[in-house]
Amino acid sequence: MSDKDKKQQSHQKKMEKLKDNVDASIAAADTERGVFILLTGNGKGKSSSAFGMVIRALGYGYKVGVVQFIKGAQLSGEELYIRDQCPQVTFHQMGTGFTWDTQDRSADIAAAEKSWAIAEKMLTDDSYHLVVLDELTYMLSFKYLDQDMILSTLENRPANQSLVVTGRGGGSALADLADTVSEIKEVKHAYNAGIMARKGVDY
Amino acid sequence: MSDKDKKQQSHQKKMEKLKDNVDASIAAADTERGVFILLTGNGKGKSSSAFGMVIRALGYGYKVGVVQFIKGAQLSGEELYIRDQCPQVTFHQMGTGFTWDTQDRSADIAAAEKSWAIAEKMLTDDSYHLVVLDELTYMLSFKYLDQDMILSTLENRPANQSLVVTGRGGGSALADLADTVSEIKEVKHAYNAGIMARKGVDY
């Protein structure tokens, strides 16, 4: 057998094994229902991943709701896009600026409660295929919203509705409730090398 | 001082410190150029994060190119969306199906080279603000494409062009070249609890 044939044979064996593993995982899964995905960790990519899933759902024409619990003074690119190009998405922003900019706990709590009321409507309406609660975890870490009330609403959402929650932390009870948890770890970040945040990439 | 006032004072102090830290990091960054972001790890969210950045760039009207080096037999939601709703995005898929489905090394290499030629065009055209090379890492891990040639092209791309590469692995040379590296770790995944992949969320 030539080297090339050996390589092809070894490659084929590896690929068959990989395919078997992937196929086995897929075959073993037999419950079809909405999933709760928690995207956490200190790395870049949590909110952009959530917006990628928004686009994924829109590709099939599904109804989507997004509530952002923290936002900057300016709209970022994905927010501009959703606002201007996706009128079918119900989109709400807390609109108090970054929490660490306001430094007023009472005002933040009032804003968080108002935004939560909007999220709650989506989480009890089964016409939404996907609900994104961007940076909700901070509302729990800062104790702006009651954890038991939040967890109970998330858990009791319509069976076919999927949910994406993003943000650092959020506590173990939230992670326990989630079906899928990805921790996005910062291995390195451009700004530590003095590179500015990039329009159309970072915001 | 009342308990409430103490809580507000302590909160304000914490928030001021957080704001100072964030502001200091932002102020220290003074180089403006395109960034290379590597999204790796075994967790869910790499490709969806890349597509979130596509939407972010489109929000400002920037030109975007996407090359997918591995794809399933069916178009996923974000691919349908980009194809149908975003004619301004240059979108190419390798189109050989999942590599572990074909099990033919020579055919895979030929397809990888063809797709790379399309990526290379984008990576030498400064009209592209953002280029996404989805699952490129596997072309390196499987040695379908020459690592030195790839790294040199990525490094020498136009200064203002940002780049997102996704996929597990890819080797340390790729990570060294990247400005930002996020490792997406699977903490848990729904399919391990028997829950099927969800249309409009997982694909």
Side-chain angles (χ1 to χ4, degrees):
Chain A
M1 195 187 282
S2 74
D3 269 7
K4 202 185 157 193
D5 287 349
K6 270 188 209 150
K7 216 167 178 180
Q8 165 64 20
Q9 200 180 52
S10 137
H11 175 76
Q12 193 168 340
K13 222 167 152 183
K14 254 193 287 182
M15 289 300 110
E16 274 169 7
K17 201 176 155 194
L18 198 52
K19 177 168 157 53
D20 285 349
N21 288 345
V22 171
D23 289 351
S25 295
I26 293 168
D30 59 1
T31 307
E32 188 153 13
R33 64 162 173 82
V35 288
F36 168 18
I37 298 168
L38 174 64
L39 300 171
T40 187
N42 65 345
K44 178 185 166 46
K46 297 182 288 293
S47 294
S48 53
S49 181
F51 277 93
M53 284 186 261
V54 169
I55 292 307
R56 190 166 280 171
L58 292 179
Y60 299 110
Y62 289 133
K63 189 170 170 186
V64 178
V66 179
V67 177
Q68 290 192 299
F69 284 87
I70 291 188
K71 70 159 206 96
Q74 280 187 302
L75 283 183
S76 60
E78 71 277 26
E79 295 157 7
L80 288 169
Y81 186 86
I82 297 284
R83 188 196 62 185
D84 298 341
Q85 308 294 326
C86 309
Q88 72 275 41
V89 175
T90 315
F91 185 48
H92 172 79
Q93 292 190 311
M94 197 158 97
T96 52
F98 273 103
T99 298
W100 40 85
D101 274 344
T102 66
Q103 299 164 9
D104 178 346
R105 193 174 156 81
S106 309
D108 282 349
I109 290 176
E113 284 171 349
K114 207 179 132 195
S115 295
W116 175 253
I118 291 163
E120 213 170 16
K121 264 197 189 162
M122 297 174 180
L123 293 163
T124 50
D125 178 349
D126 69 3
S127 70
Y128 286 97
H129 184 81
L130 175 67
V131 173
V132 173
L133 304 178
D134 195 28
E135 318 221 61
L136 174 69
T137 58
Y138 303 102
M139 303 303 107
L140 295 172
S141 319
F142 296 162
K143 298 196 193 311
Y144 285 179
L145 296 172
D146 179 66
Q147 175 171 291
D148 291 344
M149 178 266 298
I150 299 252
L151 293 181
S152 158
T153 308
L154 301 187
E155 190 172 5
N156 293 307
R157 73 186 194 283
N160 285 318
Q161 185 179 86
S162 290
L163 167 67
V164 180
V165 170
T166 76
R168 301 187 192 190
S172 58
L174 190 68
D176 287 345
L177 185 62
D179 301 301
T180 295
V181 179
S182 288
E183 186 197 346
I184 304 189
K185 285 182 63 175
E186 178 178 303
V187 179
K188 63 174 167 176
H189 199 295
Y191 64 60
N192 292 324
I195 301 163
M196 290 170 76
R198 189 79 179 145
K199 190 173 170 179
V201 180
D202 288 308
Y203 62 93
Chain B
M1 192 186 284
S2 75
D3 270 6
K4 202 185 158 192
D5 286 348
K6 270 188 207 150
K7 214 168 179 180
Q8 165 64 20
Q9 199 180 52
S10 137
H11 176 76
Q12 193 168 340
K13 220 166 151 182
K14 255 192 288 182
M15 290 298 110
E16 274 169 8
K17 202 176 153 194
L18 197 53
K19 178 168 156 53
D20 285 350
N21 288 345
V22 171
D23 289 351
S25 296
I26 293 168
D30 59 1
T31 306
E32 187 153 14
R33 64 163 173 81
V35 288
F36 168 18
I37 297 167
L38 174 63
L39 301 171
T40 187
N42 65 346
K44 179 184 167 45
K46 297 182 289 293
S47 295
S48 53
S49 180
F51 277 92
M53 285 186 260
V54 169
I55 292 307
R56 191 166 278 171
L58 292 178
Y60 299 111
Y62 289 133
K63 190 169 169 185
V64 177
V66 178
V67 177
Q68 290 192 298
F69 284 89
I70 291 187
K71 71 157 204 96
Q74 281 187 301
L75 284 183
S76 60
E78 71 277 27
E79 296 158 7
L80 289 170
Y81 186 87
I82 298 284
R83 188 196 62 186
D84 297 341
Q85 309 292 328
C86 308
Q88 72 274 41
V89 175
T90 315
F91 184 48
H92 172 79
Q93 292 189 310
M94 198 158 97
T96 53
F98 273 103
T99 296
W100 40 85
D101 274 344
T102 66
Q103 299 163 9
D104 178 344
R105 191 172 158 83
S106 310
D108 283 348
I109 290 176
E113 285 171 349
K114 207 179 132 196
S115 295
W116 176 252
I118 291 163
E120 213 169 16
K121 265 196 187 163
M122 297 175 179
L123 293 163
T124 50
D125 178 349
D126 69 3
S127 70
Y128 285 97
H129 183 81
L130 175 66
V131 174
V132 172
L133 304 179
D134 194 29
E135 319 218 65
L136 175 68
T137 58
Y138 303 102
M139 304 303 106
L140 296 172
S141 320
F142 297 161
K143 298 196 193 310
Y144 285 180
L145 295 173
D146 179 69
Q147 175 171 292
D148 291 344
M149 178 266 297
I150 299 252
L151 292 181
S152 158
T153 307
L154 300 187
E155 190 171 7
N156 293 308
R157 73 187 194 283
N160 285 318
Q161 185 179 87
S162 291
L163 168 67
V164 180
V165 170
T166 75
R168 301 187 192 190
S172 57
L174 190 69
D176 287 345
L177 184 62
D179 301 300
T180 295
V181 180
S182 288
E183 186 197 346
I184 304 189
K185 283 182 65 175
E186 179 179 302
V187 179
K188 63 174 166 177
H189 198 296
Y191 64 58
N192 292 324
I195 300 164
M196 289 171 76
R198 188 79 178 146
K199 189 171 170 180
V201 180
D202 289 307
Y203 63 93

